Amino acid sequence: MKWLKALDWFLREKRIFYKEEELLSPHTTIKIGGQALRTVYPKEIKEFISLLDYLNKEEIPFYVIGGGSNLLVNDKGYQGVVVFTKFMKGIEIFKENEVLRLKILAGTKINEIIRLGYERGFGGFEFLAGVPATLGGAIRMNAGAFGKSTSLLVKKVTLYQEGEVKEIEPKENDWTYRAFKIEGIILSAELELIKAEKEEIRKNLQQVWEKRRATQPISEKTFGSVFKNPPCCYAGALIERVGLKGYQIGKVKISEKHANFIINMNGAKTEEVLSLMRLARKKVYENFNILLEPEVKFLGIEDGCLD
Ligand SMILES: Cc1cc2nc3c(=O)[nH]c(=O)nc-3n(C[C@H](O)[C@H](O)[C@H](O)COP(=O)(O)OP(=O)(O)OC[C@H]3O[C@@H](n4cnc5c(N)ncnc54)[C@H](O)[C@@H]3O)c2cc1C
């Protein structure tokens, strides 16, 4: 690949940390995925922007990964550049009265935001406790649980869009179920947490943890929900009703705790996950005439892989 040498030169000159042909599996929560040609780890917004400018200008294929917690990567690898946001983290306190206004870099983990809020007596993000996501990934996916979603907290998003940095104050219709509709790479965002008694926040956290422990395979290797819930009902309930709870193909199986989770039993292949997804989709369609849409994102896998 002609562009690789020039990219390496650029990264060295700018002193941006990168690796050659690194395996992606350790960077995903399901622990599946081959090598990317290059993985790059910007540490601050300036570095991130100059890298994005370069990748755009040179038309180099790239993909941004946060916590890798909603991602299936091809075990044959990705012929492009993966940009990790995980070193680009930090929280700045803007205002602290009835609300706590925070400016947060995209690679910051949700749990760090919840912890900072708790320490100062502000809550609102507890519904995502235990979810191994970064803020950028949670905004892009409009991550949610127990009737709440990330959109409720986000006041401003700083995005990189086609060579420009833009600040957006999202409106209600910029959000939808499991997506922030405005395209672009999320660099940072401003969030508001609400004043609350520490004891109340602690109780909320405990309830969320208990519910997750009871209903989800949280200690297994998964990528969270496989399919989006269709308007009528829960995807997991439909998969359970077609008899696939606990069903196994090779080294992957549908969780016995929650049928919308796929577990890597160690050594799973990408194709095994896709086969299980195809089977669940086919059976649910045949039985209920409902076509399940994936919630998980794919990297290095062709569109139409579930057809
Ligand atoms: C145990 C477990 C529990 C989970 N529970 C929930 C839950 O309750 N609710 C829920 O909604 N999800 C849940 N998930 C799924 C997942 O955590 C969320 O979708 C989360 O928002 C993904 O964040 P991430 O940082 O890991 O993103 P990644 O998986 O790294 O990426 C997901 C997508 O976001 C994009 N992206 C990441 N960062 C950026 C950025 N800075 N700018 C633009 N795009 C970006 C990626 O390119 C990709 O398309 C769970 C997952 C696990 C493993």
Side-chain angles (χ1 to χ4, degrees), residues 27 29-30 48 63-71 85 88 106-107 109 127-128 130-146 150 159 178 184-187 212 216-225 261 295 297-298:
H27 296 284
T29 52
I30 195 160
F48 198 10
Y63 196 83
V64 174
I65 297 185
S69 64
N70 208 199
L71 199 60
T85 60
M88 228 189 55
K109 289 277 188 172
F127 62 93
L128 281 191
V131 175
T134 59
L135 180 63
I139 292 176
R140 177 50 64 223
M141 303 297 298
N142 192 14
F146 314 116
T150 304
L159 283 168
R178 294 297 168 268
I185 311 292
I186 296 147
L187 303 174
R212 282 192 190 276
Q216 298 175 0
I218 52 171
S219 56
E220 305 279 2
K221 301 182 192 81
T222 74
F223 45 57
S225 295
F261 279 71
E295 181 170 319
K297 300 289 177 193
F298 299 123

Side-chain angles (χ1 to χ4, degrees), residues 76-95:
K76 294 190 175 67
Y78 171 59
Q79 296 297 302
V81 176
V82 165
V83 183
F84 285 110
T85 60
K86 61 176 73 174
F87 289 172
M88 228 189 55
K89 50 189 207 162
I91 308 178
E92 191 187 328
I93 297 175
F94 250 41
K95 259 194 263 163

Side-chain angles (χ1 to χ4, degrees), residues 47-66:
E47 266 185 17
F48 198 10
I49 292 173
S50 80
L51 173 64
L52 295 172
D53 278 342
Y54 182 85
L55 295 170
N56 270 319
K57 187 168 66 75
E58 299 300 324
E59 296 180 0
I60 295 172
F62 72 93
Y63 196 83
V64 174
I65 297 185

Side-chain angles (χ1 to χ4, degrees), residues 13-66:
E13 193 200 48
K14 296 278 178 192
R15 295 170 182 271
I16 302 175
F17 182 67
Y18 74 99
K19 290 186 183 179
E20 297 180 13
E21 294 175 5
E22 186 188 7
L23 264 185
L24 297 177
S25 51
H27 296 284
T28 69
T29 52
I30 195 160
K31 308 296 175 209
I32 297 176
Q35 295 175 345
L37 291 176
R38 292 293 181 270
T39 46
V40 189
Y41 296 80
K43 286 191 301 300
E44 50 189 56
I45 289 206
K46 240 171 74 185
E47 266 185 17
F48 198 10
I49 292 173
S50 80
L51 173 64
L52 295 172
D53 278 342
Y54 182 85
L55 295 170
N56 270 319
K57 187 168 66 75
E58 299 300 324
E59 296 180 0
I60 295 172
F62 72 93
Y63 196 83
V64 174
I65 297 185

